[in-house]
Amino acid sequence: MTAAEGMQKPSLGERMARAAAVFLDPRVLIILLLGFSSGLPLALSGSTLLLWMKDVGVDLGTIGLFSLVGVPYTIKFLWAPIVDAFQVPILGRMLGHRRGWLVFSQILLMAAIVLLGFQNPLVSPWMVALAAVIFATASATQDIVIDAFRVEYLPTENQAAGMAYFVAAYRIGMLVSTAGAVALVAYFEHIGVDRSLVWTYGYAAMAALVVIGMAAALLAKEPREKEREAEAEAAGEREGNPLFRFFRAAYAAFADFFSKRHALLILLFVVLYKLTDTFAGVMTGPFVLDIGFDKASYAAIVKGVGLIASLLGGVAGGLLARAMPLSRALLVAGVLQAIANFTFSWLAWLGVNHLGLAIAISTENFTSAIGTVVFVAYLSALCTSPAHTATQFALLTALASFGRTTLSSITGFVAAATGWMVFFMLCAAAAIPGLLLLWLLVKRGDFAEIEARERAAVAAA
């Protein structure tokens, strides 16, 4: 490298300053609003719905079965090709392919929330179940569209910053639809609204908040439309029998992804990277209660200190991914996630200590948010075909959730057999396979193209 080139290379401080400036990009702010819209619905068919059912006197056995209404979130990749292959009538022509789907899915979501809110869990639990499944399907469809829109809308170098805002707004949306919805219902009861209507009004208020995401869709510009349509038309994915178009789009999406070098290694890395964080997260609640903390202390620290740490971690993850190559950011985030587990081993040794709990929870939430932002930036970078973004990203996120939904099922047995101190040490060790795969992918050059695109985008900015 020449002296002139060395002088032109920005310092770490300059790179961090540029990274911070990205958070003011209007496109990133659009993603903030969409993050809120994506986080808002999840609890309304989950924890908030179960609380409503308990409040009106539904038996615990029936309540437990309602956890199954979340299945659409785990199988959403099955209908993601529809979002790629078909344009929504009228809205698609008016707004473009992705924005048309955004507004359409949000209209469906608002209608589904209202439909669910008008049911009576005590009188007709099966109608509630049907409405909840319709709602979860509409919500999962919105997630498919928002993920595809975000990947295409933001430049490569802004993906991590966008995801940082997205994660923060997503958590706020979840908080609004849990604590916010319950507080609103309690207020309606306090002012004398009939108890049979308070939850209906609460759900109607949540439906109205979907307008925030709809406003973001209308304010944004349609991303990569010409490129996406040209690629789809070249593959014949806009012609012929609708069923053939669906399967053709699905096949093309998978074929495009598996044409990548070392595609199977990449998919294995996607499964393994977050295991260290996932294994610990699944057992954090039982661990805290088992060593002697009461539920009130745990809830206060998780909702208070934990939320703040998550928001700060999201911003830190965005800065980290912007300030260094993506492979190095993944390495740093992976190591931090692993190290955070030792704070729980320390807490197991320490016992009931509220400051210790706050330190452990905040450390875990902070590092987990960093890892999530950097990891999703990587998943976004893998989706290079604009005609198949929705399908490919839905597949990757389904694989990424495999550890949480399947592999983590053994964690309770491991904790019982080893004790809490050793269990969290093993959770830290669970990071090693993913980090080794990361090293192998770097050595084999799988990050070269991604990081070349990042450098070119930053240089052009």
Side-chain angles (χ1 to χ4, degrees):
M1 182 170 63
T2 66
E5 288 172 330
M7 290 176 64
Q8 291 174 358
K9 186 176 180 179
S11 67
L12 178 61
E14 289 172 330
R15 293 200 301 272
M16 292 297 287
R18 289 181 184 177
V22 172
F23 285 91
L24 300 178
D25 187 328
R27 292 170 296 186
V28 175
L29 296 175
I30 290 290
I31 300 304
L32 172 72
L33 299 178
L34 291 176
F36 178 86
S37 186
S38 185
L40 182 74
L42 185 62
L44 296 177
S45 62
S47 58
T48 301
L49 175 61
L50 302 187
L51 183 62
W52 174 14
M53 297 177 74
K54 177 63 178 173
D55 184 50
V56 298
V58 177
D59 66 273
L60 291 177
T62 302
I63 290 174
L65 289 174
F66 269 73
S67 62
L68 294 173
V69 303
V71 168
Y73 289 103
T74 63
I75 61 171
K76 61 185 179 182
F77 65 91
L78 294 178
W79 68 89
I82 295 174
V83 175
D84 278 330
F86 297 91
Q87 191 175 84
V88 177
I90 302 174
L91 287 173
R93 290 194 297 273
M94 291 172 57
L95 302 173
H97 189 104
R98 295 298 184 209
R99 291 200 305 148
W101 268 105
L102 263 179
V103 173
F104 176 68
S105 66
Q106 287 158 347
I107 291 171
L108 285 180
L109 186 59
M110 292 175 74
I113 296 174
V114 172
L115 173 66
L116 181 56
F118 271 95
Q119 305 309 311
N120 188 325
L122 196 58
V123 174
S124 51
W126 293 112
M127 280 302 298
V128 175
L130 176 61
V133 169
I134 293 171
F135 168 83
T137 303
S139 176
T141 303
Q142 181 194 229
D143 288 347
I144 292 169
V145 184
I146 287 178
D147 286 335
F149 179 86
R150 177 182 51 76
V151 171
E152 296 175 4
Y153 187 62
L154 293 178
T156 302
E157 72 277 12
N158 288 7
Q159 286 290 339
M163 197 58 204
Y165 267 178
F166 187 89
V167 169
Y170 188 96
R171 289 179 179 271
I172 292 170
M174 286 188 65
L175 187 63
V176 168
S177 62
T178 50
V182 173
L184 190 59
V185 167
Y187 171 74
F188 288 143
E189 289 182 331
H190 175 71
I191 63 175
V193 175
D194 191 312
R195 271 186 59 84
S196 65
L197 295 175
V198 290
W199 284 99
T200 299
Y201 289 176
Y203 268 68
M206 295 300 107
L209 291 176
V210 178
V211 171
I212 293 172
M214 196 176 294
L218 295 174
L219 289 170
K221 294 181 179 180
E222 177 68 14
R224 303 178 70 176
E225 185 168 21
K226 291 181 179 178
E227 186 180 349
R228 179 175 56 251
E229 291 306 311
E231 186 176 327
E233 287 175 11
E237 292 171 17
R238 299 290 188 264
E239 302 171 354
N241 181 285
L243 187 61
F244 288 160
R245 287 170 61 188
F246 170 81
F247 284 111
R248 192 185 299 124
Y251 172 80
F254 291 117
D256 175 78
F257 185 86
F258 281 99
S259 69
K260 298 179 187 296
R261 289 196 315 153
H262 311 126
L264 292 177
L265 278 180
I266 291 171
L267 294 178
L268 185 59
F269 172 69
V270 168
V271 172
L272 296 178
Y273 179 73
K274 291 284 286 181
L275 283 189
T276 182
D277 175 55
T278 299
F279 284 176
V282 167
M283 296 305 294
T284 297
F287 158 67
V288 170
L289 296 180
D290 189 57
I291 66 172
F293 287 95
D294 59 68
K295 291 188 286 293
S297 297
Y298 174 65
I301 289 173
V302 168
K303 294 296 185 183
V305 176
L307 176 62
I308 294 170
S310 293
L311 299 181
L312 293 175
V315 175
L319 292 171
L320 181 71
R322 173 77 177 187
M324 60 179 59
L326 188 54
S327 58
R328 196 177 304 170
L330 283 165
L331 174 62
V332 172
V335 170
L336 289 175
Q337 289 178 144
I339 292 173
N341 286 292
F342 291 107
T343 62
F344 287 114
S345 292
W346 166 71
L347 183 61
W349 170 80
L350 189 65
V352 178
N353 182 295
H354 288 82
L355 177 60
L357 177 61
I359 291 171
I361 291 293
S362 59
T363 302
E364 192 275 335
N365 278 281
F366 182 77
T367 57
S368 175
I370 290 176
T372 297
V373 167
V374 175
F375 183 54
V376 175
Y378 170 65
L379 298 184
S380 302
L382 292 175
C383 300
T384 53
S385 170
H388 309 118
T389 307
T391 305
Q392 291 181 352
F393 198 87
L395 170 67
L396 291 171
T397 51
L399 283 172
S401 69
F402 182 72
R404 183 183 71 253
T405 58
T406 304
L407 298 180
S408 61
S409 61
I410 65 170
T411 53
F413 298 107
V414 175
T418 63
W420 290 116
M421 285 184 65
V422 175
F423 171 74
F424 285 109
M425 291 178 185
L426 292 174
C427 289
I432 294 173
L435 293 176
L436 287 175
L437 272 175
L438 173 62
W439 173 81
L440 185 61
L441 289 170
V442 172
K443 295 295 286 185
R444 293 189 174 190
D446 287 86
F447 281 86
E449 182 181 348
I450 292 173
E451 292 174 356
R453 290 202 306 268
E454 283 184 326
R455 289 192 298 270
V458 170

